[in-house]
Amino acid sequence: MESGGIEIGTPAFRRSALALAAAGFSTFAVLYAVQPLLPVFAEAFGVTPAASSLSLSLATGLLAVAMPVVSALSEVWGRKPVMLASLVASALLTLVAACMPSWTGFLVVRALAGLAMSGVPAVAMAYLAEEMHGRAIGLAMGLLVGGNSLGGMTGRLLSGVLTDHYGWRVALVVIGLLALAAALAFWRCLPASSRFAAHPLPWRALPGTFLGHFGDAGLPWLYAEAFLLMGGFVTLYNYVGFRLLAPPYSLSQSAVAAIFVVYLAGTASSTLVGHAAGLIGRRRVLWLAIAVGLGGIALTAAESLVLVVGGIVVATVGFFAAHSVASGWVGRRALRDRAQASSTYLCLYYLGSSVAGTLGGWVFAHAGWSGLVGFVGGLYLAALAIALRLARLPEPA
């Protein structure tokens, strides 16, 4: 390793990339494995759709509020130890969740798993920023995001298929064992930090580094975008399974889970749109991406299965595109304490998933799919209005 950090093509880069891809894969497989199983939980435990969504919402909510704290703790305890503890704990808690006999116990364990999962998204980017050479950061970050996306898709798909054949408890056991294997790969492969220096944190000053960003003219609106976009997107995916498992579609659990393969289209769109934002400007691209997502949401109101699935694909492409632009914009507007600015964005991102994801269940139970489309569409209309406001906002000096 050179003095400037880990270079592309070196053994250290390959080990780091593999380790962090495995960490992202494990974290998001564990987090989202329950999403296609919400109808199964509703039937198995005799709870409402909104209550079943708590298996995801509690995990994302605890993850959201824990990230700023865990990020700060990694400054004292080190990057690799915090991420390793996160991976092992979330994997073990997934195995425990598979054995819980009661709904309350299951939710408690899922909430603790969300708390445990916070270590990877909170710390991985800091590790890359410290250890990678400037020329290697972009590729390493892309591999990390790819691991996140692949993990989320695989967790959803695998849990749905395994539930069809062996039941949801076996599905979660398999996900937990895969997560443990990923933790082992992470421990063996990730080089120890060589450019990290532990230091005590001024805890009293820490809140100010987060709250200070709310004085910016644009950052609070970008945080609102995170809440609205992720809230609407997760709500759509939370309850589409209830619709497609029921008549007139009566799809299998495996077929519903297979819809999550469209995440690959979303991942590709985020890369392409990120490039387009660099060419024609994020101000134009953000509102266009949200408008595309809004069109996809509207398509899901149709009766045709082809149009419903097509709407999910279009909404997914629009969401990933908008999220890639908004999250990148945060780093451009934050002139100081960029790590805290990004952490705040992610906190609102996952809080949107928790709050809107569960509230959408109440809407779905009382107003059906058309009501849910109106609810999610309303969130995206608000996001579109904010994007148009951001388009007129001058850049910071």
Side-chain angles (χ1 to χ4, degrees), residues 182-215:
L184 177 62
F186 176 87
W187 173 63
R188 293 289 299 272
C189 293
L190 189 72
S193 298
S194 64
R195 299 157 66 84
F196 167 78
H199 58 84
L201 283 174
W203 290 100
R204 292 182 179 179
L206 195 60
T209 64
F210 288 95
L211 296 175
H213 292 300
F214 285 88

Side-chain angles (χ1 to χ4, degrees), residues 52 78 84 103 114-115 132 176 185 203 268 307 315 327 356 365 381:
S52 72
L84 180 59
W103 180 239
L115 190 66
M132 292 290 162
W203 290 100
L307 289 178
S327 58
L381 282 172

Side-chain angles (χ1 to χ4, degrees), residues 67-306:
M67 275 197 302
V69 177
V70 173
S71 176
L73 288 175
S74 75
E75 301 284 356
V76 181
W77 295 344
R79 312 301 191 197
K80 184 175 180 178
V82 168
M83 287 190 284
L84 180 59
S86 171
L87 292 170
V88 172
S90 59
L92 292 175
L93 286 165
T94 300
L95 296 174
V96 172
C99 303
M100 294 304 294
S102 70
W103 180 239
T104 301
F106 182 77
L107 290 182
V108 169
V109 176
R110 280 291 297 173
L112 292 174
L115 190 66
M117 286 177 226
S118 62
V120 172
V123 179
M125 287 188 287
Y127 177 91
L128 289 177
E130 289 166 353
E131 303 300 325
M132 292 290 162
H133 191 281
R135 289 187 294 267
I137 288 178
L139 178 57
M141 189 68 73
L143 292 170
L144 172 64
V145 172
N148 295 349
S149 178
L150 185 61
M153 184 192 73
T154 303
R156 293 169 167 108
L157 182 60
L158 192 59
S159 65
V161 173
L162 289 174
T163 296
D164 245 358
H165 293 87
Y166 305 106
W168 68 268
R169 294 185 187 275
V170 172
L172 289 188
V173 167
V174 171
I175 296 293
L177 292 175
L178 283 175
L180 274 179
L184 177 62
F186 176 87
W187 173 63
R188 293 289 299 272
C189 293
L190 189 72
S193 298
S194 64
R195 299 157 66 84
F196 167 78
H199 58 84
L201 283 174
W203 290 100
R204 292 182 179 179
L206 195 60
T209 64
F210 288 95
L211 296 175
H213 292 300
F214 285 88
D216 180 77
L219 285 172
W221 295 109
L222 289 168
Y223 298 154
E225 292 284 50
F227 184 95
L228 294 167
L229 292 171
M230 183 58 165
F233 180 66
V234 165
T235 300
L236 196 68
Y237 270 94
N238 274 1
Y239 303 106
V240 70
F242 287 93
R243 186 184 186 198
L244 297 180
L245 287 168
Y249 311 106
S250 300
L251 299 184
S252 67
Q253 189 69 49
S254 298
V256 172
I259 292 174
F260 290 100
V261 174
V262 304
Y263 260 62
L264 294 176
T267 303
S269 74
S270 64
T271 304
L272 294 173
V273 171
H275 181 60
L279 294 176
I280 65 174
R282 63 185 63 85
R283 299 167 182 276
R284 296 176 181 174
V285 173
L286 180 58
W287 72 263
L288 284 171
I290 296 171
V292 168
L294 193 57
I297 293 163
L299 274 178
T300 67
E303 293 298 324
S304 166
L305 179 60
V306 173

